[in-house]
């Protein structure tokens, strides 16, 4: 049978946690974590031939943090960089920013405006929403499309799973205080169900003063900001094979200072105001649906609004305010079929369209007069992506698995900014091949080769500058990579460990290149496709559980 021993482990773990009334009379059975991100279907991370990191619910609770980036601070294979308290950009295998794909419940958080280098968008997700976090280290372009060069981070949010009572209502009020910022967060949440309809929702408020450094460091000025979050998720279990989900999330951050620009540059002020995110989606999940063993359909709406308020030290009487809004409409469809006794096919399509609403003004701080100026990103521009993928999980023997995948992606964008006219159409076929061989019941040898791909986005073409002048380049080519990795996974009892060596070869990487200087000596730079680059390294981790393993997994 297809992957029989591995599926048995998954099934046992589901049964252990599917009902709150289950009684385990003997010693608790310790089983691996489950991941759905690495293969888009449920597999244990031990039996997945990809480098994965899973942060479960107990780990999230123990972290006791008001900021989502802090949940990944000690995650294997992830480094979090902070240039401001309101930021927190994950690095995976040497890459960050738009080269790492962030998902929320499988829906893309990344849009075509994400900036070059570290950014703050992960921090727009309230940690109080999160059930678990799954990280796939290495390219995820075959299953998830553009941006997944360094890896994929999937933020999986909470939903009602206990339907043992015909009607139930509960809630919580909790707060956190952090002396380092003389502030913290407060959360009010309600959860329950009425028959087969469940709900969970809440409101979170956050207040952070300027961060107080250690002995001799002093106060980090400016760094404090405020935040308001709201969320609601409804799920209806129509029958034992079907579930409908409707969810909404809202985040509004106020006056978030970019500390590095003020302390390291010549700026008197640099605030992200507003920093706003809205996400709404509807999803159907079904099993044994017509000819499909599994089906998952999703439609989504994601709006991210980012404002910048800047006062330059050389022009202290002028304040520049720029606002960029991006509305993203998305639709995905995924299907899974078991073919014979040895194949499981997962295939699907996805579509996303970004529409831009931008503007920029200069305000005379003495008179209050506002003057419209050209924004850095075209108004009324659009950016679309469409993709189709197929993956075959093949059980070669009782001890060997092979996972092969291929994807076709196509991108189109148009925009006009001054004399620059952007019109791009590009496509790409990417593939991956990963294998697993069970050396012993507790030790697996894993490895594979995968292609990565990232189409240049709107921010690449027109640039977002900090300390210098940048000119547009509408002729950029996509970034491409090929990644090879090999490693071993170990799991026995409460001990899990893995070691990986990876080697990545990149072509057409996009970077800033100095193309001239202004009269005052300020560099003039432009994004260009540079020569090849190579990154290689070793990742290793070990976890020891001293009590019943926390699955922390929402398995349906």
């Amino acid at each position: 049978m297809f992957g029989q021993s591995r599926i048995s482990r998954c099934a046992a773990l589901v049964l252990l946690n599917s009902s709150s009334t289950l009684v385990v009379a003997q010693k608790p059975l310790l089983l691996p974590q489950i991941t759905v991100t690495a293969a888009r279907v449920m597999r244990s991370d031990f039996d997945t031939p990809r480098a994965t990191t899973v942060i479960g619910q107990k780990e999230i609770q123990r972290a006791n943090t008001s900021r989502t980036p802090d949940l990944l601070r000690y995650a294997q294979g992830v480094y979090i960089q902070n240039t401001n308290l309101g930021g927190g950009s994950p690095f995976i295998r040497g890459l960050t920013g738009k080269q790492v794909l962030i998902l929320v419940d499988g829906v893309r958080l990344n849009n075509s405006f994400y900036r070059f280098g570290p950014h703050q968008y992960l921090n727009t997700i309230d940690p109080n929403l999160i059930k678990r976090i799954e990280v796939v280290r290495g390219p995820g372009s075959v299953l998830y499309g553009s941006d997944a060069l360094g890896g994929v981070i999937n933020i999986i949010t909470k939903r009602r799973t206990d339907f043992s009572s015909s009607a139930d209502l509960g809630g919580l009020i909790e707060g956190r205080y952090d002396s380092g910022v003389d502030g913290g967060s407060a959360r009010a949440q309600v959860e329950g169900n009425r028959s087969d309809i469940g709900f969970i929702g809440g409101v979170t408020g956050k207040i952070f003063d300027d961060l107080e450094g250690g002995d001799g460091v002093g106060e980090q000025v400016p760094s404090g900001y405020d935040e308001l979050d709201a969320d609601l998720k409804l799920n209806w279990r129509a029958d034992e094979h079907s579930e409908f989900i409707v969810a909404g999330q809202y985040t509004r951050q106020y006056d978030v200072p970019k500390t590095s620009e003020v302390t390291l540059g010549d700026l008197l002020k640099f605030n992200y105001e507003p920093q706003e995110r809205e996400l709404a989606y509807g999803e159907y999940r079904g099993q044994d649906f017509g000819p499909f063993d599994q089906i998952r359909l999703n439609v989504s709406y994601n709006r991210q609004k980012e404002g910048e308020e800047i006062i330059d030290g050389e022009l202290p009487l002028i304040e520049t305010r720029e606002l960029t809004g991006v509305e993203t409409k998305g639709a995905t469809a995924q299907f899974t079929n078991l073919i014979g006794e040895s194949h499981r096919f997962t295939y699907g399509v996805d579509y996303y369209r970004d529409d831009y609403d931008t503007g920029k003004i200069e305000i005379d701080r003495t008179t209050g007069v506002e003057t419209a100026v050209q924004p850095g990103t075209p108004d009324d521009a659009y950016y679309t992506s469409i993709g189709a993928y197929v993956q075959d999980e093949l059980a070669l023997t009782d001890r060997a698995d092979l996972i092969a995948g291929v994807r076709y992606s196509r991108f189109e964008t148009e925009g006009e900014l001054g004399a620059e006219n952007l019109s791009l159409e590009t496509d790409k076929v990417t593939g991956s091949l990963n294998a697993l061989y069970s050396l012993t019941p507790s030790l697996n040898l894993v490895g594979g080769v995968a292609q990565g791909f990232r189409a240049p986005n709107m921010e690449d073409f027109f640039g977002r500058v900090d300390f210098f002048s940048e000119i547009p380049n509408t002729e950029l080519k996509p970034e491409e990579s090929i990644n090879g990795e090999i490693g071993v996974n170990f799991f026995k009892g409460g001990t899990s460990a893995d070691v990986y060596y990876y080697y990545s070869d990149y072509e057409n990487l996009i970077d800033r290149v100095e193309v001239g200087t202004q009269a005052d000596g300020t560099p003039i730079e432009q994004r260009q496709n540079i020569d090849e680059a190579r990154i290689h390294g070793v990742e290793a981790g070990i976890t020891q559980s001293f009590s019943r393993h926390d699955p922390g997994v929402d398995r349906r």
Side-chain angles (χ1 to χ4, degrees):
M1 293 294 291
F2 168 75
Q4 185 173 7
S5 62
R6 286 171 279 279
I7 289 181
S8 296
R9 277 195 287 265
C10 290
L13 193 52
V14 172
L15 289 174
L16 278 173
N17 297 275
S18 62
S19 171
S20 61
T21 61
L22 179 67
V23 177
V24 180
Q26 300 178 353
K27 182 179 179 181
L29 179 63
L30 298 177
L31 292 168
Q33 288 271 25
I34 297 297
T35 175
V36 296
T37 308
R40 276 191 175 265
V41 289
M42 188 177 68
R43 292 181 71 104
S44 76
D45 59 349
F46 173 64
D47 293 318
T48 298
R50 293 294 309 270
T52 60
T53 303
V54 180
I55 302 172
Q57 188 173 14
K58 283 190 176 179
E59 295 171 279
I60 292 171
Q61 292 172 343
R62 286 193 293 263
N64 191 30
T65 180
S66 300
R67 302 174 61 257
T68 292
D70 291 336
L71 298 175
L72 290 160
R73 188 167 298 280
Y74 302 107
Q76 179 185 348
V78 183
Y79 169 76
I80 295 294
Q81 185 262 13
N82 281 101
T83 53
N84 61 326
L85 184 64
S89 188
F91 279 75
I92 302 177
R93 294 190 172 179
L95 301 179
T96 192
K98 65 183 74 178
Q99 294 169 323
V100 171
L101 178 61
I102 302 175
L103 308 172
V104 178
D105 293 332
V107 177
R108 291 177 65 96
L109 184 70
N110 292 47
N111 61 36
S112 57
F113 180 66
Y114 273 28
R115 294 192 310 277
F116 181 81
H119 55 54
Q120 76 278 20
Y121 303 110
L122 181 62
N123 193 44
T124 64
I125 303 171
D126 182 8
N128 292 287
L129 303 176
I130 301 174
K131 175 74 172 180
R132 76 183 188 275
I133 301 175
E134 297 182 359
V135 181
V136 180
R137 311 191 303 270
S141 299
V142 169
L143 294 180
Y144 296 101
S146 186
D147 301 346
L149 285 177
V152 180
I153 298 174
N154 193 6
I155 308 292
I156 299 172
T157 63
K158 300 173 183 176
R159 81 182 194 282
R160 181 70 172 180
T161 57
D162 183 4
F163 293 87
S164 57
S165 299
S166 60
D168 185 40
L169 179 64
L172 64 83
I173 297 177
E174 64 179 13
R176 297 182 177 90
Y177 175 75
D178 185 349
S179 61
V181 291
D182 191 23
S185 66
R187 168 80 170 175
Q189 179 177 296
V190 62
E191 179 180 358
N193 71 284
R194 179 73 174 179
S195 187
D196 293 322
I197 299 177
F199 58 89
I200 183 170
V203 177
T204 303
K206 303 177 185 180
I207 298 176
F208 301 115
D209 202 350
D210 290 330
L211 179 65
E212 188 68 37
D215 185 32
V217 175
E219 198 172 49
Q220 309 296 290
V221 181
S223 56
Y225 68 96
D226 299 334
E227 180 176 330
L228 176 65
D229 303 280
D231 58 273
L232 177 65
K233 180 182 283 189
L234 306 174
N235 60 311
W236 173 39
R237 292 188 171 182
D239 54 48
E240 61 180 345
H241 299 295
S242 303
E243 183 174 21
F244 294 88
I245 301 173
V246 177
Q249 301 169 15
Y250 175 77
T251 294
R252 173 66 159 90
Q253 296 175 338
Y254 300 84
D255 296 311
V256 183
K258 191 172 183 182
T259 308
S260 58
E261 296 281 7
V262 178
T263 58
L264 301 179
D266 297 324
L267 302 182
L268 301 179
K269 175 183 179 181
F270 191 128
N271 282 358
Y272 291 114
E273 171 53 37
Q275 182 72 56
E276 193 171 17
R277 180 182 70 89
E278 299 175 14
L279 171 64
Y281 71 82
E283 183 165 294
Y284 170 75
R285 302 178 185 181
Q287 298 180 10
D288 299 325
F289 183 91
F292 309 111
D293 291 300
Q294 294 180 6
I295 183 173
R296 188 166 182 167
L297 308 175
N298 183 289
V299 292
S300 61
Y301 172 82
N302 191 351
R303 184 176 72 92
Q304 299 186 56
K305 184 182 293 186
E306 181 176 312
E308 294 182 357
E309 298 181 348
I310 299 173
I311 300 177
D312 194 324
E314 296 182 358
L315 298 169
L317 299 181
I318 300 295
E319 179 172 345
T320 301
R321 295 184 181 179
E322 183 168 5
L323 184 63
T324 304
V326 182
E327 291 187 350
T328 304
K329 302 176 182 68
T332 65
Q334 178 178 305
F335 312 92
T336 301
N337 285 97
L338 293 172
I339 307 296
E341 296 184 349
S342 60
H343 292 267
R344 178 165 64 176
F345 280 96
T346 300
Y347 50 99
V349 294
D350 48 57
Y351 169 84
Y352 291 92
R353 177 185 170 106
D354 296 341
D355 288 290
Y356 282 78
D357 181 10
T358 68
K360 186 176 182 179
I361 60 172
E362 290 182 349
I363 303 174
D364 188 316
R365 300 176 66 202
T366 59
T367 65
V369 174
E370 299 180 0
T371 304
V373 295
Q374 179 175 282
T377 307
D379 190 24
D380 294 326
Y382 75 87
Y383 192 106
T384 63
S385 66
I386 186 169
Y389 59 89
V390 60
Q391 174 183 263
D392 180 17
E393 298 171 84
L394 171 63
L396 298 173
T397 69
D398 290 341
R399 304 177 69 176
D401 279 5
L402 190 69
I403 301 181
V406 64
R407 179 187 184 93
Y408 172 78
S409 300
R410 180 174 176 81
F411 304 86
E412 295 183 8
T413 180
E414 287 189 4
E416 182 177 338
L417 188 66
E420 295 289 340
N421 291 301
L422 171 65
S423 181
L424 172 73
E425 295 183 9
T426 187
D427 57 6
K428 180 65 177 178
V429 176
T430 51
S432 64
L433 183 66
N434 293 277
L436 176 149
Y437 184 78
S438 180
L439 300 171
T440 72
S442 57
L443 184 66
N444 290 334
L445 175 66
V446 296
V449 178
Q451 291 179 290
F453 177 81
R454 190 184 76 83
N457 68 8
M458 198 68 69
E459 196 271 348
D460 288 314
F461 292 124
F462 295 99
R464 303 290 293 179
V465 299
D466 297 333
F467 303 110
F468 43 79
S469 296
E470 187 170 354
I471 59 176
N473 182 0
T474 58
E475 303 299 325
L476 292 171
K477 300 176 182 178
E479 297 178 316
E480 301 179 23
S481 72
I482 185 166
N483 177 85
E485 62 183 36
I486 188 169
V488 290
N489 292 338
F490 175 82
F491 183 87
K492 187 174 184 179
T495 303
S496 62
D498 62 29
V499 179
Y500 280 89
Y501 171 77
Y502 65 89
Y503 183 95
S504 300
D505 196 343
Y506 297 91
E507 293 184 358
N508 294 325
L509 274 180
I510 297 172
D511 200 357
R512 291 182 173 120
V513 175
E514 186 171 329
V515 294
T517 57
Q518 298 188 43
D520 60 1
T522 302
I524 300 174
E525 302 200 0
Q526 184 184 54
R527 308 284 175 91
Q528 295 182 7
N529 294 106
I530 61 174
D531 293 334
E532 296 182 357
R534 295 176 179 85
I535 299 175
H536 65 100
V538 175
E539 300 169 336
I542 184 169
T543 300
Q544 176 65 53
S545 297
F546 295 99
S547 60
R548 179 175 177 175
H549 185 66
D550 165 40
V553 175
D554 184 2
R555 291 175 181 80
R556 279 181 57 89

